[in-house]
C-alpha cells in the first residue's frame, strides 16, 4: 500500500514535469521568434531530440536529488530547500544540455536555451504550487485512506506508529474499536465496540479495517469482519488470516508484515496502469468537453434558464460524496419534481429510470441520446473522483436505502461507463441485475477488461443502444 501510493505520487509529478517541459519548449519557440527574430537552428527531429534529452536529464536529476520524495513528504507544498533543489536541477540540466550540444558541434541558438531554462523554472514552480493547493489540507481530508483499528495490542501500536510515519501519503486512522479490552491507544479516538463495527463503517467513510488481534481472540470477529468484507471494505490482518476464499496480498507497512484481504484486485501495477489510462483518457475527453460546451452550452441556456453544467451529489468509493458534473438535460427544478414521479419509476430497486421523463428538455433528450451529457464527467475522472470504467455512482438517497450486500458496488471508484452500461444501459430494469453485473466486474477486474469495456462503450454510443 505504502509503496504503491508513493509510486503513484512520484509518477504523477514526473508526468506533469514532462508535459510542462514540452509546453515550455513550444512557448520558447514563440518567444524567441517574436522577440529575438530568430529560430533555434535545428530541424524538427533535432528539436524533438533536444527536448527528449533535456527532459530525461531533468527527471533523472530530480530523482537523484529526491526532489519528488521531499515534495510529497511536505504534503505537496514547495519548501525553501526543495525550491533550491528545483533551481539547481534546472541549472544543472541546462549546463549539461549545452555541453552536449557543444561537443556535438550543433549550431543552436543560445537564446533558445536561456529562455527555455527560465520558462522551465517558472513552469515547474507553477505546477508545484498548483499541486500544493490541490493536495493541501482540505483536499487531503477528502482523498485520505481512512482506517479503523480493531482490537488493542502491542502489534496495533506498531501499526499506528508506521501509519504516522507515512501520514503524508494521506493515511488516516479515524478511530479504535475495542473487542473486549478496557485499554485504549494513546492519541486515537475510541469510536465503539466490536458489535458496533457494521454500523460504524456505514456512519464513517472507511476504506480499511486493521485487526490487531487474532481471530481466536473473540468468536464474534469472523462474523463482523465477514459483514464488512461483503460491503467491499479492505481488511488488514496483522499476520493471521480469517478466510481461505478471499484474495490475499502480503504487504509491508514500513517494517511490519501484514496480510490484506479484498474482493478487488490489489495488484499495484494494474492499479497504477488504470490510473494512467484514466489521466490519458480524461485529457482527451476534456478537449471534447470543451468543444461540446461551445456548441451545446448556448442551446441549453437558450431553451431553459439556469446553469449549463448540472452538479449533483453522488456517492463514490466507500461512501465518499462528490459533485458529479453533467451537461444539464432537465429544467432547473428537476430535483424537486422527482418525488412526484417516483410512482413512474421503471427500475425495480434502488435506482430511478423513466421513459419520456417530462423533466427532460428537447436539447436534453438529444445530448442524452448521444451521451454528450456525460462529457463533463471527464473532469471528475481527472480529479480522481471517478474512473473511465467502474460502477455507476449512485445518489446519496439510493445508498441510504441499500442493504449491506448492495454496498459492494461502492467499494471501488465509480466510472463513466461499466459492465452493466454496455450490457444494456437503460434497457436493464432490475436493480439486482445491475448489482450482479457490477459485482462481476469487481471480481474480474483487470486493465484489459477496462479496455474492452471502453471499446464496447464506443460501439454502444455509436449505435445509440439503450440510451434514455
Amino acid at each position: 500500500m505504502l509503496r504503491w501510493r508513493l509510486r503513484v505520487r512520484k509518477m504523477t509529478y514526473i508526468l506533469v514535469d514532462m508535459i510542462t517541459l514540452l509546453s515550455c519548449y513550444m512557448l520558447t519557440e514563440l518567444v524567441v521568434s517574436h522577440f529575438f527574430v530568430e529560430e533555434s537552428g535545428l530541424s524538427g527531429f533535432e528539436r524533438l531530440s533536444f527536448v527528449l534529452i533535456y527532459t530525461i536529464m531533468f527527471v533523472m536529476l530530480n530523482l537523484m536529488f529526491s526532489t519528488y520524495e521531499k515534495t510529497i513528504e511536505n504534503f505537496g507544498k514547495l519548501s525553501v530547500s526543495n525550491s533550491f533543489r528545483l533551481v539547481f536541477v534546472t541549472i544543472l540540466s541546462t549546463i549539461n544540455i549545452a555541453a552536449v550540444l557543444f561537443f556535438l558541434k550543433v549550431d543552436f541558438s543560445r537564446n533558445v536555451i536561456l529562455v527555455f531554462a527560465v520558462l522551465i523554472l517558472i513552469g515547474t514552480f507553477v505546477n508545484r504550487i498548483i499541486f500544493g493547493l490541490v493536495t493541501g489540507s482540505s483536499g487531503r481530508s477528502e482523498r485520505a485512506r481512512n482506517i479503523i483499528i480493531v482490537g488493542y495490542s502491542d502489534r496495533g501500536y506498531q501499526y499506528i506508529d508506521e501509519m504516522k510515519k507515512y501520514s503524508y501519503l494521506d493515511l488516516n486512522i479515524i478511530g479504535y474499536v475495542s473487542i473486549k479490552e478496557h485499554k485504549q491507544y494513546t492519541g486515537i479516538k475510541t469510536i465503539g465496540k466490536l458489535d458496533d463495527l457494521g454500523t460504524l463503517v456505514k456512519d464513517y467513510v472507511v476504506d480499511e479495517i486493521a485487526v490487531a488481534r487474532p481471530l481466536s481472540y473473540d468468536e464474534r470477529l469472523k462474523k463482523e469482519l465477514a459483514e464488512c468484507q461483503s460491503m467491499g471494505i479492505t481488511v488488514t490482518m496483522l499476520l493471521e488470516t480469517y478466510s481461505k476464499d478471499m484474495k490475499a496480498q502480503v504487504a509491508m507497512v514500513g517494517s511490519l508484515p501484514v496480510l490484506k484481504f479484498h474482493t478487488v484486485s490489489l495488484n499495484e501495477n494494474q492499479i497504477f496502469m488504470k490510473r494512467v489510462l484514466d489521466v490519458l483518457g480524461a485529457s482527451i475527453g476534456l478537449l471534447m468537453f470543451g468543444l461540446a460546451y461551445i456548441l451545446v452550452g448556448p442551446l441549453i441556456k437558450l431553451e431553459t434558464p439556469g446553469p449549463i453544467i448540472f452538479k449533483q451529489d453522488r456517492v463514490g468509493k466507500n461512501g465518499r460524496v462528490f459533485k458529479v458534473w453533467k451537461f444539464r438535460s432537465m429544467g432547473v427544478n428537476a430535483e424537486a419534481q422527482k418525488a412526484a414521479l417516483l410512482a413512474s419509476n421503471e427500475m425495480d430497486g434502488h435506482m430511478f429510470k423513466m421513459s419520456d421523463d417530462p423533466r427532460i428538455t428537447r436539447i436534453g433528450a438529444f445530448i442524452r441520446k448521444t451521451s454528450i451529457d456525460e462529457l463533463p464527467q471527464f473532469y471528475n475522472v481527472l480529479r480522481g473522483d471517478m474512473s473511465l470504467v467502474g460502477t455507476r455512482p449512485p445518489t446519496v438517497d439510493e445508498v441510504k436505502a441499500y442493504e449491506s450486500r448492495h454496498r459492494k458496488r461502492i467499494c471501488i471508484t465509480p466510472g463513466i461507463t461499466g459492465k452493466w452500461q454496455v450490457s444494456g444501459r437503460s434497457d436493464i430494469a432490475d436493480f439486482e441485475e445491475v448489482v450482479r453485473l457490477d459485482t462481476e466486474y469487481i471480481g474480474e477486474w483487470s486493465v484489459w477488461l477496462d479496455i474492452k469495456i471502453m471499446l464496447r462503450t464506443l460501439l454502444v454510443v455509436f449505435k445509440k443502444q439503450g440510451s434514455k
Side-chain angles (χ1 to χ4, degrees), residues 165-417:
K165 287 181 188 177
Y166 297 96
S167 61
Y168 58 84
L169 293 177
D170 297 346
L171 301 170
N172 176 40
I173 296 178
I174 59 177
Y176 157 62
V177 172
S178 64
I179 301 176
K180 54 187 177 184
E181 312 94 337
H182 299 290
K183 297 180 179 180
Q184 64 182 42
Y185 296 105
T186 304
I188 301 296
K189 177 183 177 183
T190 301
I191 58 176
K193 298 183 179 297
L194 181 60
D195 291 333
D196 306 321
L197 190 59
T199 302
L200 289 171
V201 297
K202 296 176 184 177
D203 293 340
Y204 291 84
V205 173
V206 180
D207 301 292
E208 186 171 335
I209 294 171
V211 185
R213 286 284 191 174
L215 290 175
S216 57
Y217 182 70
D218 193 301
E219 61 182 11
R220 297 171 296 165
L221 268 171
K222 281 186 180 181
K223 177 178 177 294
E224 295 296 332
L225 293 177
E227 182 180 356
C228 294
Q229 181 72 55
S230 71
M231 293 185 239
I233 306 296
T234 297
V235 175
T236 297
M237 296 291 297
L238 306 188
L239 295 179
E240 191 168 341
T241 66
Y242 76 94
S243 173
K244 297 179 181 179
D245 300 325
M246 299 298 175
K247 296 176 182 176
Q249 180 196 41
V250 179
M252 296 296 294
V253 178
S255 59
L256 182 66
V258 298
L259 288 171
K260 290 181 180 288
F261 301 90
H262 206 292
T263 51
V264 182
S265 171
L266 294 175
N267 185 298
E268 294 179 354
N269 294 325
Q270 290 261 0
I271 295 171
F272 174 71
M273 283 304 302
K274 182 177 179 69
R275 184 56 187 158
V276 170
L277 280 176
D278 283 345
V279 173
L280 293 176
S283 300
I284 297 171
L286 284 173
L287 294 176
M288 295 188 291
F289 165 43
L291 180 61
Y293 190 94
I294 295 171
L295 298 175
V296 175
L299 299 177
I300 295 173
K301 199 77 173 177
L302 285 172
E303 185 172 1
T304 55
I308 296 172
I309 300 298
F310 170 70
K311 300 176 185 178
Q312 184 186 42
D313 283 343
R314 292 293 183 99
V315 180
K317 185 178 180 181
N318 291 326
R320 289 171 174 80
V321 178
F322 68 98
K323 294 284 186 184
V324 70
W325 282 28
K326 284 190 173 187
F327 279 122
R328 184 169 58 85
S329 59
M330 297 182 178
V332 290
N333 60 344
E335 287 296 297
Q337 296 174 352
K338 182 178 177 180
L341 299 172
L342 289 177
S344 302
N345 186 12
E346 297 171 359
M347 284 292 293
D348 182 14
H350 308 303
M351 287 176 68
F352 181 81
K353 288 287 182 181
M354 179 182 176
S355 300
D356 301 320
D357 192 325
R359 301 173 298 166
I360 299 175
T361 61
R362 285 175 296 175
I363 184 63
F366 168 74
I367 62 176
R368 282 189 169 210
K369 193 72 175 177
T370 55
S371 296
I372 291 174
D373 65 319
E374 309 280 353
L375 291 177
Q377 290 178 38
F378 285 111
Y379 167 75
N380 294 117
V381 174
L382 196 62
R383 275 180 51 90
D385 297 323
M386 294 180 66
S387 177
L388 294 176
V389 183
T391 56
R392 170 192 171 273
T395 64
V396 176
D397 290 339
E398 288 172 357
V399 173
K400 287 180 180 178
Y402 278 5
E403 298 175 25
S404 292
R405 59 193 175 86
H406 296 147
R407 290 183 65 88
K408 189 171 182 179
R409 296 188 65 241
I410 59 173
C411 73
I412 64 170
T413 304
I416 295 178
T417 187

Side-chain angles (χ1 to χ4, degrees), residues 46-277:
E46 290 172 333
R47 293 176 186 176
L48 180 62
S49 300
F50 167 79
V51 176
L52 182 61
I53 293 171
Y54 195 108
T55 300
I56 292 172
M57 286 183 181
F58 187 85
V59 170
M60 292 301 294
L61 287 170
N62 273 302
L63 290 171
M64 188 183 300
F65 292 104
S66 302
T67 306
Y68 299 121
E69 288 89 344
K70 296 298 181 183
T71 303
I72 294 167
E73 290 174 13
N74 200 37
F75 298 100
K77 297 177 182 178
L78 194 60
S79 63
V80 175
S81 61
N82 239 21
S83 297
F84 279 118
R85 279 190 177 92
L86 276 176
V87 173
F88 179 71
V89 165
T90 304
I91 293 173
L92 193 57
S93 299
T94 304
I95 292 173
N96 285 339
I97 196 69
V100 169
L101 294 172
F102 175 80
F103 285 114
L104 292 177
K105 297 181 180 181
V106 176
D107 184 20
F108 194 65
S109 169
R110 296 176 183 175
N111 289 328
V112 170
I113 297 177
L114 291 175
V115 172
F116 186 40
V118 171
L119 290 178
I120 287 172
L121 268 179
I122 296 172
T124 49
F125 270 91
V126 168
N127 75 41
R128 294 300 191 275
I129 291 170
I130 293 173
F131 263 76
L133 293 173
V134 171
T135 60
S137 57
S138 60
R140 290 201 308 273
S141 63
E142 296 174 1
R143 291 183 290 274
R145 184 168 185 81
N146 295 324
I147 303 167
I148 288 179
I149 299 286
V150 175
Y152 180 95
S153 70
D154 291 338
R155 189 61 57 135
Y157 257 118
Q158 286 181 280
Y159 185 85
I160 291 169
D161 289 339
E162 293 293 343
M163 290 294 100
K164 289 180 178 178
K165 287 181 188 177
Y166 297 96
S167 61
Y168 58 84
L169 293 177
D170 297 346
L171 301 170
N172 176 40
I173 296 178
I174 59 177
Y176 157 62
V177 172
S178 64
I179 301 176
K180 54 187 177 184
E181 312 94 337
H182 299 290
K183 297 180 179 180
Q184 64 182 42
Y185 296 105
T186 304
I188 301 296
K189 177 183 177 183
T190 301
I191 58 176
K193 298 183 179 297
L194 181 60
D195 291 333
D196 306 321
L197 190 59
T199 302
L200 289 171
V201 297
K202 296 176 184 177
D203 293 340
Y204 291 84
V205 173
V206 180
D207 301 292
E208 186 171 335
I209 294 171
V211 185
R213 286 284 191 174
L215 290 175
S216 57
Y217 182 70
D218 193 301
E219 61 182 11
R220 297 171 296 165
L221 268 171
K222 281 186 180 181
K223 177 178 177 294
E224 295 296 332
L225 293 177
E227 182 180 356
C228 294
Q229 181 72 55
S230 71
M231 293 185 239
I233 306 296
T234 297
V235 175
T236 297
M237 296 291 297
L238 306 188
L239 295 179
E240 191 168 341
T241 66
Y242 76 94
S243 173
K244 297 179 181 179
D245 300 325
M246 299 298 175
K247 296 176 182 176
Q249 180 196 41
V250 179
M252 296 296 294
V253 178
S255 59
L256 182 66
V258 298
L259 288 171
K260 290 181 180 288
F261 301 90
H262 206 292
T263 51
V264 182
S265 171
L266 294 175
N267 185 298
E268 294 179 354
N269 294 325
Q270 290 261 0
I271 295 171
F272 174 71
M273 283 304 302
K274 182 177 179 69
R275 184 56 187 158
V276 170
L277 280 176

